[in-house]
């Protein structure tokens, strides 16, 4: 049933928009039916047995929709729904639908939704559901407090309330989880009834839970949000701060008091904060000039008192607390609504400007006076009954007066004095004759807003609420019967037996009460002049501290963002390196790493020399400021590695390494033409040192890891037995080559495809447009012509000039200033030799150092020489085909050599060998994998050609075009 | 070395069918790029890609259940976790793809440049725009990436994991650089992502090699066995695990490997950011779960504290740094960092609840992120995306529905109850608490509070701020609308009735080893 009613609230909240749009503000009256119906239904549960309803929600997470209507829940529900209905009804007369400051539709929806969430909050029996409803009320309170969307004050207050209560809610969630996990149940009833809990986790849990209550109920030090939230429309304030939102914190304390009230952390937080809040709020309230602010600080004070009482832990205090809880809901909502009516009628809430309202609106004044009397604790109202009970419960503190309880009792009395004072201030300020200078007409002194009598609803509802306080005061014995069903469960601390009633004889509480009234009246008399300047009680302002905290968080975030996310690549990379340095580095240093017992540093002096050379080159490379120098020095480290391979007896590896290094160098140099000569950044000395240290550190860690890795070998090396197998299966003595073309031929095949894709990719990035490619084709055709001409015709000489020698094919097309005859001659002389060598490497590679890859690179270097001597034209003449053709042919041959064995019924890439005796050459060992190697050879040549053409002549062309455009630009 | 012949592994092609469908779809897409005319490409690619993903999803649902097991020489593990996450990747990528295809009435996908390789502002670019070039290669690229992600969560072998990592990453690097507007930013993002991604991949490889050296195998099961029996090379184990973790943590954008996230999220085309944020997280966390839970679970005492610290740092840094952001996309980027921390909190738990809560969180995060970025793509000012918070002021009054959706998604990101964000956070935090990581949950809750602050600032701007001059919300086509609506509906559904999905996550949370 509870779920159904909550659902109805939700439905009403959704329908509120259309309803208010069609019916205007009368829609609020329709909306009021939902909480009214709820209140009527809940009332039937008042004296019956406890109703429990459970519906599964998220069983996997232990989330369950369980509700438990015990007396506390029923009383709270009655307050929440009953006052909710009345406030909505009041809105039907109060809200101005033509106002553009806020949306009445949103207000209606949010109010009904809020009532629904509060209903769920006070009836649920599940810790997590409690949190869910808690956060819903937080969010809706944001919408309600920030109702006046055009007002900056309102928006700011709404955000403040939201932040404080949402942060408190999250803290509370942690506490709830700690309590739930500790007790193994998330049912509130089981948790509270469970065996007396103790331990650090429970203490923490309870402490965090109370933080939630403290923020929501605006206790010190979080009290500042509540007066700020007075920016909301008055009915909203009435509901939120008399009946609903702030009562959630009180409810939480009341709910958990039976289980945890004896814990020290509970005692300290509840009693100290409750007392402090009661005094601070009361003191501030006696100094306000705005009726609403007066009530707001009064509310803060009363909340402190309520938390103190319901959390005290004794049955008597709980009874007094619940009585006052009910009383407070009635008189505070009545006072707020009466204030709203005054505001509505006069246009002001300032007691310095109000005068004569009491005469003009006697019924309203009656409501206000009755409610204020209840607040001050005057007979025969419920406030009096509650105060008497509270005094009876507190005045004989069990541990003596020099204890928390004693302090709480003293604060309660002092707070009551202040309450009387500000109650008087309210009554006199709102309904009194006002300052003598005021005019005869009631209302605001300046007369800016003409008086109009408040309608029947605006008067009737506050009056009804105030009369409710009177009725309950008279029938307090019956009230005790109801409340005792809950308060009898609060028995953690001993206390006197207390009963509700108007007359207990001439007892100590009555005596104290009389003193309180007298002292309160005196206090009011001393501070009655509203014009007198008010000095703050304490210098520390929690609201300002909140502002500072928020600014501090902003500042910290700004600083850390500036520090952490610069978006600079070196910093990002540096972070990753630091992690590498720290995590595995620390593991190496501190972990149980088994270091090799003996480390052989070097085999020969030559190795040491090469290593030193490499280190020196590496250090110099990091110091280089010119790109070219850096590239060359990095190259030196590569060549040094090759030397080490050679010294270690791996000529094939060394050869490959040298060739690859050379090609990289050439490519880098070609690309560098497009970049500035020096590195553009100029880091400070400190940065450079840091970077150097980081680099050295990473090198050290990786080096040490390598030492550890190689020395902790326990498996047989993968290469064992490979020499024999390479001869048996691959018919070759060069293991590397056999691995490439036989054992791991599939890998090679894959790599060939990748190389092809990469080359195409690079080329397509440089040759962006179809036209450019067409230009290359045209160039190739003309190059073929030049080639033919070079062979066929003698050197053409221009008349009058020196006869030009044509050492290369396209010499006549080059800019004479940029020619280098020496280079041309050298090229002419060695080109074919190099090519021949590459063919030798290809053929011999199966047994000697070499192979398709090395051979291809050698051939590529020969092409490179031609390119350097005569630019793109010469390259075209040297190999007048498109790179793609060479690449494709190579891959085709490689794939074909893989397929052919399959045609013969063998596995793909199977190798056969045969010996052929060729005249003049001698015996040649032919291996079928040579065909595959030929494919590799061609792909590598194709790649080199592609690189030279794209990065060489392609960039040449781009540079030329740019120069041309720049030239045109200057002209 | 024994002389045993190489034995071809058994491959269960039926079980692999969903992945095969996606890869084949990608290849068909490449072919379409090569042969279809410019005008027809979009009309072909969109249905083709969506159909591929839907078909793969259908295949996964129909065949997955009955074809669980290890296959392809035990390098692929198709167990409950893998299938669930593959399904999630597929569903999310369908939404992401729809958002990417948005044209706003134009001729080509709106978010993408018409010639990716040209220099911004160059003659080539103008020419490409003039001849109406399209960037429909995003479809095969996305499909390839999705295929890589599906393989990533199923890989049971360090080497295959690496291959999958590269397959999923490379297309993303390219996609990041294809934004139509603010192209330099986009290209910078792409380059940064690529460079840093490559470095992380290198670290991953280094770690994988160390683990291989330790266990003598790349298979997760063998590594786990080696750890249990202890092979006496512990010096390699922990550095190996940590370096492998670096590669994976980079992919999810956890602190301190997060620095690329804001730049890349901001620079990449907005729908790509959404796709990347949602799907990459699913894939990377899936892989991380498998590596940590299956392969190196035995060494948990060594890596658990590290992951916990990374989780805490991610939550704190992600939350704190989002406060000062003024750009909506960057706010979402930092939020993704914080969310990586939240998810890691579930990963640290190291029990079945850790797996199921992580998977559930991934689902919730995916369904709120894609629509969030899709909405960002709709808010325009002077023809480009208006991503500054100030430009969003007063959006609630101008386009209440879009603003309401975004508000709801922000609430979900903050973890407010009745959204999926709450149930997801609750699931991971309770998993962590139950395994004794309460302090992580506490940090998580506090970080949530901080992130909630920045989201509410944004919400306040949208609803209560003064209307910004020329910001408009473009009217989306059905594709973006579907992406947004499905995401919002799922976020609501997972917040109110998460049971079916949680059930699924729990019933599939066991790894095959």
């Amino acid at each position: 049933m509870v779920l159904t009613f909550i659902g109805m609230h939700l439905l009403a909240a959704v329908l509120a928009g259309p309803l208010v749009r069609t019916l205007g503000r009368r829609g609020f009256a329709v909306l009021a039916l939902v909480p009214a119906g709820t209140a009527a239904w809940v009332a039937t549960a008042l004296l019956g047995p406890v109703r429990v309803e459970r519906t599964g929600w998220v069983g996997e997470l232990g989330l369950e929709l369980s509700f438990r209507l015990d007396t506390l829940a029923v009383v709270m529900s009655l307050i929440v729904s009953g006052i909710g209905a009345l406030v909505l009804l009041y809105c039907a007369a109060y809200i101005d639908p033509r106002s553009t400051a806020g949306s009445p539709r949103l207000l209606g929806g949010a109010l009904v939704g809020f009532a629904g969430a509060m209903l769920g909050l006070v009836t649920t029996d599940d810790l997590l559901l409690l949190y869910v409803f808690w956060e819903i009320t937080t969010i809706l309170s944001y919408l309600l407090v920030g109702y006046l969307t055009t007002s900056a004050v309102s928006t700011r207050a709404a955000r403040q309330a939201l932040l404080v209560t949402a942060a408190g809610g999250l803290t509370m969630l942690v506490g709830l989880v700690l309590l739930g996990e500790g007790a193994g149940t998330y049912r509130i009833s089981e948790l509270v009834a469970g065996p007396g809990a103790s331990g650090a986790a429970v203490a923490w849990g309870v402490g965090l839970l109370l933080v939630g209550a403290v923020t929501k109920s605006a206790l010190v030090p979080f009290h500042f949000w509540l007066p700020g939230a007075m920016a909301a429309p008055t009915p909203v304030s009435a509901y939120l701060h008399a009946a609903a939102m702030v009562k959630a914190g009180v409810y939480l304390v009341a709910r958990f008091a039976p289980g945890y009230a004896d814990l020290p952390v509970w005692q300290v937080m509840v009693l100290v904060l409750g007392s402090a809040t009661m005094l601070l709020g009361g003191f501030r309230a006696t100094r306000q000039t705005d009726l609403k602010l007066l009530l707001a600080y009064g509310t803060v004070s009363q909340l402190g008192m309520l938390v103190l009482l319901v959390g005290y832990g004794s049955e008597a205090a709980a009874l007094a607390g619940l009585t006052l809880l009910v009383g407070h809901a009635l008189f505070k909502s009545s006072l707020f609504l009466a204030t709203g009516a005054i505001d509505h009628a006069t246009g002001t809430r300032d007691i310095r400007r109000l005068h004569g309202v009491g005469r003009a609106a006697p019924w309203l004044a009656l409501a206000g006076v009755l409610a204020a009397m209840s607040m001050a604790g005057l007979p025969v109202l419920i406030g009096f009954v509650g105060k008497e009970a509270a005094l009876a419960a507190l005045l004989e503190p069990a541990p003596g007066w020099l204890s928390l309880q004693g302090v709480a009792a003293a604060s309660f009395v002092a707070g009551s004095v202040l309450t009387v004072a500000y109650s008087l201030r309210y009554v006199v300020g709102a309904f009194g004759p006002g300052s003598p200078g005021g005019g005869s007409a009631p209302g605001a002194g300046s007369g800016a807003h003409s008086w109009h009598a408040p309608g029947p609803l605006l008067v009737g509802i506050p009056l009804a609420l105030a009369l409710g306080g009177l009725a309950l005061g008279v029938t307090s014995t019956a009230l005790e019967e109801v409340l005792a069903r809950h308060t009898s469960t609060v028995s953690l601390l001993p206390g006197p037996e207390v009963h509700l009633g108007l007359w207990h004889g001439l007892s100590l509480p009555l005596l104290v009460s009389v003193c309180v009234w007298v002292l309160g009246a005196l206090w009011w008399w001393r501070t009655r002049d509203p014009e007198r300047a008010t000095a703050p009680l304490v210098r520390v302002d929690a609201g300002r501290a909140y502002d500072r905290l928020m600014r501090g968080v902003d500042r910290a975030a700004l600083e850390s963002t500036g520090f952490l996310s610069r978006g600079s690549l070196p910093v990002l990379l540096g972070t990753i390196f630091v992690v590498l340095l720290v995590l595995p580095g620390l593991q190496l240093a501190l972990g149980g790493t088994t270091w090799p017992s003996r480390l052989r540093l070097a085999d020969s002096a030559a190795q040491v020399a090469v290593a030193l050379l490499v280190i020196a080159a590496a250090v110099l490379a990091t110091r280089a400021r010119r790109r070219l120098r850096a590239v060359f020095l990095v190259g030196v480290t590569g060549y040094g590695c090759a030397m080490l391979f050679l010294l270690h007896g791996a000529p094939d590896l060394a050869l490959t390494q040298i060739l690859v290094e050379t090609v990289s160098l050439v490519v880098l140099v070609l690309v560098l033409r497009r970049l500035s000569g020096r590195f553009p950044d100029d880091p400070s000395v400190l940065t450079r040192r840091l970077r150097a240290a980081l680099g050295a550190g990473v090198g050290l860690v990786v080096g040490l890891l390598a030492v550890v890795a190689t020395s902790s070998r326990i498996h047989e090396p993968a290469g064992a037995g490979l020499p024999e197998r390479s001869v048996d299966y691959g018919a070759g003595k060069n293991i590397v080559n056999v691995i490439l073309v036989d054992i791991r031929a599939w890998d090679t095949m894959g790599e060939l495809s990748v190389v092809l894709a990469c080359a195409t990719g690079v080329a397509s990035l440089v040759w962006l447009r179809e036209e450019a490619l067409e230009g290359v084709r045209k160039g190739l055709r003309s190059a073929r012509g030049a080639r033919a001409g070079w062979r066929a015709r003698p050197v053409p000489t221009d008349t009058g000039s020196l006869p030009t020698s044509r050492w290369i094919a396209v010499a006549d097309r080059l800019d004479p200033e940029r020619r280098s005859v020496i280079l041309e001659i050298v090229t002419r002389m060695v080109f074919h030799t190099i090519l021949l060598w590459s063919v030798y490497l290809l053929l011999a590679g199966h047994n000697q150092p070499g192979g398709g890859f090395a051979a291809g690179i050698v051939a590529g270097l020969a092409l490179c020489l031609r390119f350097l001597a005569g630019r793109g034209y010469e390259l075209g003449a040297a190999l007048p085909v498109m790179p793609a053709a060479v690449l494709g042919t190579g891959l085709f041959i490689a794939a074909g050599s893989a397929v052919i064995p399959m045609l013969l019924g063998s596995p793909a890439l199977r190798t056969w060998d045969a010996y052929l005796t060729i005249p003049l050459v001698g015996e040649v060992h032919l291996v079928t994998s040579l065909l595959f190697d030929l494919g590799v050879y061609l792909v590598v040549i194709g790649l080199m050609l592609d690189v030279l053409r794209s990065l060489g002549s392609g960039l040449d062309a781009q540079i030329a075009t740019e120069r041309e455009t720049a030239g045109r630009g200057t002209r | 070395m024994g002389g045993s012949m190489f034995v071809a592994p058994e491959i269960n092609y039926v079980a692999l069918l969903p992945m095969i469908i996606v890869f084949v779809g990608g290849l068909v897409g490449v072919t379409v790029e090569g042969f279809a005319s410019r005008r027809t490409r979009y009309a072909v690619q969109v249905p083709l890609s969506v159909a591929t993903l839907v078909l793969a999803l259908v295949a996964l649902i129909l065949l997955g259940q009955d074809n669980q097991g290890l296959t392809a020489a035990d390098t692929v593990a198709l167990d409950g976790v893998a299938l669930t996450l593959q399904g999630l990747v597929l569903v999310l990528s369908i939404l992401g793809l729809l958002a990417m295809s948005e044209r706003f009435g134009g001729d080509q996908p709106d978010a993408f440049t018409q010639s990716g390789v040209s220099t911004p502002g160059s003659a080539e670019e103008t020419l490409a725009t003039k001849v109406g070039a399209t960037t429909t290669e995003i479809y095969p690229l996305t499909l390839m990436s999705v295929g890589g992600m599906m393989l990533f969560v199923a890989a049971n072998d360090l080497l295959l994991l690496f291959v999958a990592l590269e397959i999923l990453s490379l297309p993303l690097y390219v996609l990041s650089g294809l934004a139509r507007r603010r192209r330099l930013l986009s290209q910078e993002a792409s380059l940064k992502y690529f460079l840093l991604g490559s470095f992380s991949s290198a670290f991953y490889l280094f770690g994988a090699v160390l683990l291989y050296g330790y266990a003598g195998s790349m298979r997760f099961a063998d590594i786990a066995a080696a750890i249990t029996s202890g092979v006496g090379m512990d010096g390699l184990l922990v550095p190996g695990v940590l370096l492998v973790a670096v590669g994976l943590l980079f992919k999810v954008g956890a602190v301190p490997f997060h620095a690329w996230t804001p730049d890349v999220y901001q620079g990449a085309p907005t729908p790509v950011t959404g796709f990347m944020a949602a799907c990459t997280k699913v894939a990377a966390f899936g892989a991380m779960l498998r590596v940590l839970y299956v392969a190196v679970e035995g060494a948990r005492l060594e890596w658990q504290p590290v992951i916990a610290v990374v989780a805490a740092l991610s939550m704190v840094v992600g939350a704190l740094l989002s406060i000062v952001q003024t750009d909506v996309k960057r706010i979402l980027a930092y939020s993704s960092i914080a969310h990586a921390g939240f998810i890691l909190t579930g990963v640290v738990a190291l029990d079945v609840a850790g797996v199921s809560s992580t998977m559930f969180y991934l689902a919730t995060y995916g369904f709120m992120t894609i629509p969030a970025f899709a909405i960002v793509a709709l808010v325009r000012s002077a023809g480009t995306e208006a991503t500054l918070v100030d430009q969003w002021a007063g959006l609630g009054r101008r386009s209440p529905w879009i603003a309401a959706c975004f508000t709801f998604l922000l609430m979900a990101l903050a973890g407010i109850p009745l959204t999926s964000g709450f149930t997801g956070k609750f699931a991971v935090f309770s998993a962590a608490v139950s395994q004794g990581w309460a302090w992580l949950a506490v940090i998580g809750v506090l970080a949530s509070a901080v992130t909630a602050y920045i989201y509410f600032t944004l919400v306040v701007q949208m609803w209560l701020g003064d209307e910004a001059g020329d910001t408009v919300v473009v009217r989306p086509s059905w594709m973006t609308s579907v992406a947004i609506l499905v995401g919002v509906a799922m976020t609501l559904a997972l917040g109110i009735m998460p049971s079916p999905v949680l059930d699924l996550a729990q019933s599939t949370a066991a790894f095959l080893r």
Side-chain angles (χ1 to χ4, degrees), chain A residues 341 361-368 459:
Chain A
W363 290 109
L364 192 63
L366 177 66
V459 178

mmCIF file with all atom_site columns, all heavy atoms in Angstrom, chain A residues 341 361-368 459:
data_model
loop_
_atom_site.group_PDB
_atom_site.id
_atom_site.type_symbol
_atom_site.label_atom_id
_atom_site.label_alt_id
_atom_site.label_comp_id
_atom_site.label_asym_id
_atom_site.label_entity_id
_atom_site.label_seq_id
_atom_site.pdbx_PDB_ins_code
_atom_site.Cartn_x
_atom_site.Cartn_y
_atom_site.Cartn_z
_atom_site.occupancy
_atom_site.B_iso_or_equiv
_atom_site.pdbx_formal_charge
_atom_site.auth_seq_id
_atom_site.auth_comp_id
_atom_site.auth_asym_id
_atom_site.auth_atom_id
_atom_site.pdbx_PDB_model_num
ATOM 1  N N   . ALA A 1 341 ? 0.999   34.902 4.464  1.00 0.00 ? 341 ALA A N   1
ATOM 2  C CA  . ALA A 1 341 ? -0.220  35.688 4.286  1.00 0.00 ? 341 ALA A CA  1
ATOM 3  C C   . ALA A 1 341 ? 0.071   37.162 4.490  1.00 0.00 ? 341 ALA A C   1
ATOM 4  O O   . ALA A 1 341 ? -0.430  38.026 3.749  1.00 0.00 ? 341 ALA A O   1
ATOM 5  C CB  . ALA A 1 341 ? -1.281  35.197 5.273  1.00 0.00 ? 341 ALA A CB  1
ATOM 6  N N   . ALA A 1 361 ? -6.229  42.122 10.409 1.00 0.00 ? 361 ALA A N   1
ATOM 7  C CA  . ALA A 1 361 ? -6.514  40.713 10.144 1.00 0.00 ? 361 ALA A CA  1
ATOM 8  C C   . ALA A 1 361 ? -6.510  39.941 11.463 1.00 0.00 ? 361 ALA A C   1
ATOM 9  O O   . ALA A 1 361 ? -5.565  39.243 11.782 1.00 0.00 ? 361 ALA A O   1
ATOM 10 C CB  . ALA A 1 361 ? -5.478  40.134 9.176  1.00 0.00 ? 361 ALA A CB  1
ATOM 11 N N   . PRO A 1 362 ? -7.560  40.081 12.246 1.00 0.00 ? 362 PRO A N   1
ATOM 12 C CA  . PRO A 1 362 ? -7.561  39.513 13.592 1.00 0.00 ? 362 PRO A CA  1
ATOM 13 C C   . PRO A 1 362 ? -7.443  37.987 13.602 1.00 0.00 ? 362 PRO A C   1
ATOM 14 O O   . PRO A 1 362 ? -6.800  37.425 14.491 1.00 0.00 ? 362 PRO A O   1
ATOM 15 C CB  . PRO A 1 362 ? -8.907  39.972 14.167 1.00 0.00 ? 362 PRO A CB  1
ATOM 16 C CG  . PRO A 1 362 ? -9.738  40.340 12.988 1.00 0.00 ? 362 PRO A CG  1
ATOM 17 C CD  . PRO A 1 362 ? -8.802  40.796 11.923 1.00 0.00 ? 362 PRO A CD  1
ATOM 18 N N   . TRP A 1 363 ? -8.048  37.311 12.621 1.00 0.00 ? 363 TRP A N   1
ATOM 19 C CA  . TRP A 1 363 ? -7.989  35.843 12.632 1.00 0.00 ? 363 TRP A CA  1
ATOM 20 C C   . TRP A 1 363 ? -6.574  35.367 12.362 1.00 0.00 ? 363 TRP A C   1
ATOM 21 O O   . TRP A 1 363 ? -6.086  34.403 12.962 1.00 0.00 ? 363 TRP A O   1
ATOM 22 C CB  . TRP A 1 363 ? -8.969  35.264 11.611 1.00 0.00 ? 363 TRP A CB  1
ATOM 23 C CG  . TRP A 1 363 ? -10.393 35.459 12.029 1.00 0.00 ? 363 TRP A CG  1
ATOM 24 C CD1 . TRP A 1 363 ? -11.298 36.311 11.469 1.00 0.00 ? 363 TRP A CD1 1
ATOM 25 C CD2 . TRP A 1 363 ? -11.048 34.813 13.121 1.00 0.00 ? 363 TRP A CD2 1
ATOM 26 N NE1 . TRP A 1 363 ? -12.494 36.240 12.135 1.00 0.00 ? 363 TRP A NE1 1
ATOM 27 C CE2 . TRP A 1 363 ? -12.368 35.325 13.157 1.00 0.00 ? 363 TRP A CE2 1
ATOM 28 C CE3 . TRP A 1 363 ? -10.664 33.870 14.066 1.00 0.00 ? 363 TRP A CE3 1
ATOM 29 C CZ2 . TRP A 1 363 ? -13.305 34.923 14.109 1.00 0.00 ? 363 TRP A CZ2 1
ATOM 30 C CZ3 . TRP A 1 363 ? -11.587 33.447 15.000 1.00 0.00 ? 363 TRP A CZ3 1
ATOM 31 C CH2 . TRP A 1 363 ? -12.891 33.977 15.030 1.00 0.00 ? 363 TRP A CH2 1
ATOM 32 N N   . LEU A 1 364 ? -5.950  36.059 11.463 1.00 0.00 ? 364 LEU A N   1
ATOM 33 C CA  . LEU A 1 364 ? -4.563  35.712 11.159 1.00 0.00 ? 364 LEU A CA  1
ATOM 34 C C   . LEU A 1 364 ? -3.701  35.928 12.404 1.00 0.00 ? 364 LEU A C   1
ATOM 35 O O   . LEU A 1 364 ? -2.841  35.117 12.743 1.00 0.00 ? 364 LEU A O   1
ATOM 36 C CB  . LEU A 1 364 ? -4.059  36.603 10.013 1.00 0.00 ? 364 LEU A CB  1
ATOM 37 C CG  . LEU A 1 364 ? -2.724  36.197 9.376  1.00 0.00 ? 364 LEU A CG  1
ATOM 38 C CD1 . LEU A 1 364 ? -2.849  34.830 8.726  1.00 0.00 ? 364 LEU A CD1 1
ATOM 39 C CD2 . LEU A 1 364 ? -2.298  37.229 8.353  1.00 0.00 ? 364 LEU A CD2 1
ATOM 40 N N   . ALA A 1 365 ? -3.979  37.049 13.085 1.00 0.00 ? 365 ALA A N   1
ATOM 41 C CA  . ALA A 1 365 ? -3.228  37.342 14.289 1.00 0.00 ? 365 ALA A CA  1
ATOM 42 C C   . ALA A 1 365 ? -3.464  36.261 15.337 1.00 0.00 ? 365 ALA A C   1
ATOM 43 O O   . ALA A 1 365 ? -2.528  35.829 16.031 1.00 0.00 ? 365 ALA A O   1
ATOM 44 C CB  . ALA A 1 365 ? -3.639  38.705 14.837 1.00 0.00 ? 365 ALA A CB  1
ATOM 45 N N   . LEU A 1 366 ? -4.694  35.782 15.413 1.00 0.00 ? 366 LEU A N   1
ATOM 46 C CA  . LEU A 1 366 ? -4.993  34.721 16.371 1.00 0.00 ? 366 LEU A CA  1
ATOM 47 C C   . LEU A 1 366 ? -4.152  33.488 16.073 1.00 0.00 ? 366 LEU A C   1
ATOM 48 O O   . LEU A 1 366 ? -3.528  32.879 16.962 1.00 0.00 ? 366 LEU A O   1
ATOM 49 C CB  . LEU A 1 366 ? -6.488  34.384 16.313 1.00 0.00 ? 366 LEU A CB  1
ATOM 50 C CG  . LEU A 1 366 ? -6.907  33.225 17.227 1.00 0.00 ? 366 LEU A CG  1
ATOM 51 C CD1 . LEU A 1 366 ? -6.719  33.610 18.694 1.00 0.00 ? 366 LEU A CD1 1
ATOM 52 C CD2 . LEU A 1 366 ? -8.367  32.834 16.966 1.00 0.00 ? 366 LEU A CD2 1
ATOM 53 N N   . ALA A 1 367 ? -4.114  33.124 14.789 1.00 0.00 ? 367 ALA A N   1
ATOM 54 C CA  . ALA A 1 367 ? -3.324  31.969 14.391 1.00 0.00 ? 367 ALA A CA  1
ATOM 55 C C   . ALA A 1 367 ? -1.868  32.169 14.782 1.00 0.00 ? 367 ALA A C   1
ATOM 56 O O   . ALA A 1 367 ? -1.236  31.297 15.384 1.00 0.00 ? 367 ALA A O   1
ATOM 57 C CB  . ALA A 1 367 ? -3.444  31.756 12.874 1.00 0.00 ? 367 ALA A CB  1
ATOM 58 N N   . GLY A 1 368 ? -1.338  33.357 14.452 1.00 0.00 ? 368 GLY A N   1
ATOM 59 C CA  . GLY A 1 368 ? 0.069   33.627 14.734 1.00 0.00 ? 368 GLY A CA  1
ATOM 60 C C   . GLY A 1 368 ? 0.362   33.585 16.226 1.00 0.00 ? 368 GLY A C   1
ATOM 61 O O   . GLY A 1 368 ? 1.365   33.004 16.655 1.00 0.00 ? 368 GLY A O   1
ATOM 62 N N   . VAL A 1 459 ? -5.769  32.590 5.519  1.00 0.00 ? 459 VAL A N   1
ATOM 63 C CA  . VAL A 1 459 ? -5.933  32.755 6.961  1.00 0.00 ? 459 VAL A CA  1
ATOM 64 C C   . VAL A 1 459 ? -6.327  31.430 7.609  1.00 0.00 ? 459 VAL A C   1
ATOM 65 O O   . VAL A 1 459 ? -5.825  31.053 8.667  1.00 0.00 ? 459 VAL A O   1
ATOM 66 C CB  . VAL A 1 459 ? -7.000  33.824 7.261  1.00 0.00 ? 459 VAL A CB  1
ATOM 67 C CG1 . VAL A 1 459 ? -7.211  33.949 8.765  1.00 0.00 ? 459 VAL A CG1 1
ATOM 68 C CG2 . VAL A 1 459 ? -6.585  35.163 6.669  1.00 0.00 ? 459 VAL A CG2 1
#
